[in-house]
Amino acid sequence: MRRKDLILALLVVTVWGANFTVIKLGLAGVPSMLLVALRYTFTALPAIAFIKRPNVEWYYCLAYGLTVGVGQFACLFYAMEIGMPAGIASVVMQSQAFFTLLLGVVFLREVMRQEQVVGLVVASVGLYLVGSNSGVDALTSIPPAALILTAAGAAFWGLSNIIVRLAADRAASRGEQLNGLSLLVWSSLVPPLPLLALALMLNTPETLWRALSSLNAQSIFAVVYLVVGATLFGFGAWSNLLSKYPASKVAPLSLLVPVTGLITAQIVLAEQLTKVQWLGGLVILFGLAIANFGQALAQRFQRAGKRLTPGG
């Protein structure tokens, strides 16, 4: 990977890692469902005036918008509103890789390799350690509902990956290539109304209006960051990198997102986690590494062993 592209990739994962801290800052002044609704409203508008419609049927946009906006981010934002720490959220959300694998087996008839199963088991142990309420203060004691919702958000993320794959296959069957940014922007028209309905279920109209009418600089910064930084810049730059390099060179860099997420949360929010929870985060990352690189490492060791074997 060229140096400027590597720098771009590192900038993207840094922006995505800090995204969790920014969500927490935004939630200080805006209820969770309203904050997600604002994110998707301003992702779609005015971008749809400049970006053409995706070259797939409308129901792919509908399904993607529902799974990502109403599924993934509604679960994540509400989990963080009720007590999920930003740093730990950045780690747990990476379990989407395993949900993608499991759903790929169900919907795409893919075969899960042995190292992916091992990685899933290891990451599950890490998730248990992260959720252990072993802390002595509110920052380290994670409400079970918050942990479950974050894991549910990761599951919806995995489901959205399957939808994207199906949409890409559909476009390819017509000799076309799916425009990922176009799909993201146009599908952003879907979540706002369901999210506003959820907001009215969780909050009074007076609470929502008060939050909108009294947006402070921190809340406005959070919305702008989520729309421009994490969504349009992050996704656009990542899609560009995937179009220039093999996925095997780009995708592993996303494992740095929890690292930047934990560091940012500790610096900005002063989140203090227990040693067990730090260990759990490392175990999750280790499980992800096994699932992503286990086969390549095994093949490398096998080739090395043949070279060292007499007559090999």
Side-chain angles (χ1 to χ4, degrees):
M1 185 179 293
R2 297 172 61 183
R3 180 179 299 179
K4 69 174 185 177
D5 288 330
L6 178 60
I7 293 173
L8 179 62
L10 293 176
L11 180 59
V12 170
V13 298
T14 301
V15 168
W16 279 346
N19 175 59
F20 294 87
T21 293
V22 173
I23 292 172
K24 205 75 168 179
L25 294 175
L27 291 172
V30 183
S32 56
M33 296 302 102
L34 180 58
L35 185 59
V36 192
L38 290 173
R39 171 181 184 162
Y40 277 96
T41 298
F42 291 110
T43 295
L45 303 173
I48 58 171
F50 307 100
I51 298 177
K52 66 179 182 179
R53 293 174 58 183
N55 52 340
V56 290
E57 289 77 4
W58 63 269
Y59 48 81
Y60 287 109
C61 284
L62 177 63
Y64 187 68
L66 289 174
T67 52
V68 173
V70 187
Q72 177 186 342
F73 285 111
C75 287
L76 173 63
F77 279 47
Y78 189 62
M80 294 181 69
E81 185 177 54
I82 63 175
M84 188 68 182
I88 289 297
S90 70
V91 177
V92 175
M93 285 299 292
Q94 297 309 307
S95 62
Q96 61 84 18
F98 296 112
F99 286 111
T100 301
L101 291 173
L102 292 172
L103 292 168
V105 172
V106 175
F107 293 104
L108 303 178
R109 298 182 180 180
E110 295 179 346
V111 178
M112 189 177 294
R113 302 191 304 271
Q114 183 178 0
E115 66 274 8
Q116 292 173 329
V117 176
V118 173
L120 176 60
V121 173
V122 171
S124 299
V125 173
L127 190 62
Y128 171 78
L129 294 175
V130 164
S132 61
N133 292 324
S134 54
V136 295
D137 56 47
L139 282 177
T140 51
S141 181
I142 302 175
L147 182 62
I148 292 171
L149 279 169
T150 306
F156 276 112
W157 187 359
L159 182 57
S160 74
N161 289 337
I162 300 300
I163 292 170
V164 170
R165 215 176 286 177
L166 291 172
D169 291 344
R170 176 62 175 166
S173 69
R174 298 193 296 265
E176 301 173 344
Q177 184 175 5
L178 177 68
N179 186 322
L181 183 60
S182 175
L183 176 65
L184 172 69
V185 169
W186 281 84
S187 66
S188 295
L189 290 169
V190 176
L193 287 180
L195 289 169
L196 287 175
L198 288 173
L200 288 169
M201 292 173 61
L202 296 172
N203 307 273
T204 64
E206 292 77 15
T207 299
L208 299 177
W209 174 248
R210 194 181 310 117
L212 278 175
S213 60
S214 59
L215 287 174
N216 55 29
Q218 179 173 300
S219 299
I220 294 173
F221 165 76
V223 173
V224 172
Y225 186 99
L226 293 173
V227 172
V228 178
T231 306
L232 295 176
F233 165 73
F235 189 86
W238 198 256
S239 298
N240 181 55
L241 290 169
L242 286 171
S243 68
K244 295 170 65 176
Y245 300 97
S248 59
K249 285 191 175 183
V250 179
L253 291 172
S254 66
L255 294 179
L256 293 175
V257 170
V259 177
T260 59
L262 287 165
I263 292 173
T264 306
Q266 190 166 32
I267 293 174
V268 178
L269 302 175
E271 288 187 356
Q272 300 298 322
L273 305 176
T274 66
K275 292 180 179 178
V276 171
Q277 288 170 332
W278 277 109
L279 176 61
L282 292 174
V283 170
I284 291 175
L285 294 178
F286 183 57
L288 287 168
I290 292 174
N292 280 277
F293 311 120
Q295 185 179 38
L297 289 174
Q299 291 174 347
R300 184 171 298 179
F301 286 133
Q302 187 177 21
R303 288 195 296 268
K306 288 182 178 179
R307 287 196 297 268
L308 294 175
T309 301

